[in-house]
Amino acid sequence: MESKKNLRPAAFLDRDGVIVRDLGYVYRLEDLEILPQAAETIHELHQLGFLVIVISNQAGVAKGKYAESDVKAFHLALQAELIAKTSVGADAYYYCPHHPDGTVPAYAIACDCRKPGIALLQKAAEDFAIDWSKSFFVGDRRSDIECAEKAKIPGFQILSGQYEVHPHPFANIQGLADVLTYARNMKQRS
């Protein structure tokens, strides 16, 4: 078992609408647009000692709109842009390619990795020594906040106006940078 001092808190971030502009089924490299202050916020989260882990539903794979190779290429390009902006990117990218109403049979399944399921967070816990008591989730959809609730961590919902608002998020915020006050307070408690 990891000693408490070797554990690091994680900032779990949804991708579309949190880090990059959500245009609906974002996968084309020419549609990659990092949101204002997202790269700088990720950089500061790293400085505060947080792991930055991207957790994303990519139903477009199950719906035949793009392939898993497109998701992976998009993540590589996003990582390169983040590093180019601030010398820091995400620590890991996890995504769910499934959707129960998909048209691609191999991906047209109900699963635990699709948010609000927490299988991707559990996978991150296998890969990293995470201090869950100081971790949090930022998303723009109700399912992101439900995922945070299931994982028993605070869920911050970005109010983009695109998606249904969860009735009881830990906090509603306007953008990713708004979590920095919370993250700084967590750091001070260490």
Side-chain angles (χ1 to χ4, degrees), residues 19-165:
I19 302 171
V20 301
R21 187 152 321 278
D22 187 350
L23 303 170
Y25 298 110
V26 180
Y27 70 96
R28 298 177 334 154
L29 299 184
E30 57 266 28
D31 292 334
L32 173 54
E33 180 185 348
I34 296 176
L35 291 169
Q37 298 183 325
E40 295 79 7
T41 301
I42 289 169
H43 183 265
E44 184 165 344
L45 288 168
H46 274 280
Q47 289 180 319
L48 292 169
F50 283 82
L51 294 162
V52 175
I53 300 174
V54 178
I55 305 286
S56 181
N57 286 346
Q58 292 298 315
V61 175
K63 294 181 178 184
K65 296 185 180 295
Y66 50 88
E68 278 196 80
S69 59
D70 295 315
V71 176
K72 292 173 183 175
F74 191 88
H75 288 164
L76 287 172
L78 173 56
Q79 184 77 344
E81 283 205 29
L82 289 170
I83 291 169
K85 285 180 179 285
T86 65
S87 76
V88 176
D91 292 287
Y93 293 83
Y94 298 95
Y95 66 92
C96 171
H98 309 115
H99 194 284
D101 299 326
T103 57
V104 179
Y107 298 105
I109 61 171
C111 64
D112 291 332
C113 61
R114 180 172 175 75
K115 294 176 291 182
I118 62 170
L120 295 179
L121 278 71
Q122 291 168 331
K123 173 65 175 138
E126 292 172 14
D127 296 342
F128 297 94
I130 296 174
D131 181 349
W132 291 93
S133 70
K134 294 183 177 83
S135 296
F136 60 88
F137 199 113
V138 181
D140 62 339
R141 293 181 184 236
R142 184 179 180 129
S143 60
D144 296 320
I145 306 310
E146 290 171 0
C147 180
E149 288 177 336
K150 287 181 179 181
K152 297 181 174 51
I153 59 176
F156 293 82
Q157 186 170 12
I158 293 176
L159 299 177
S160 65
Q162 284 183 280
Y163 303 108
E164 182 180 1
V165 177

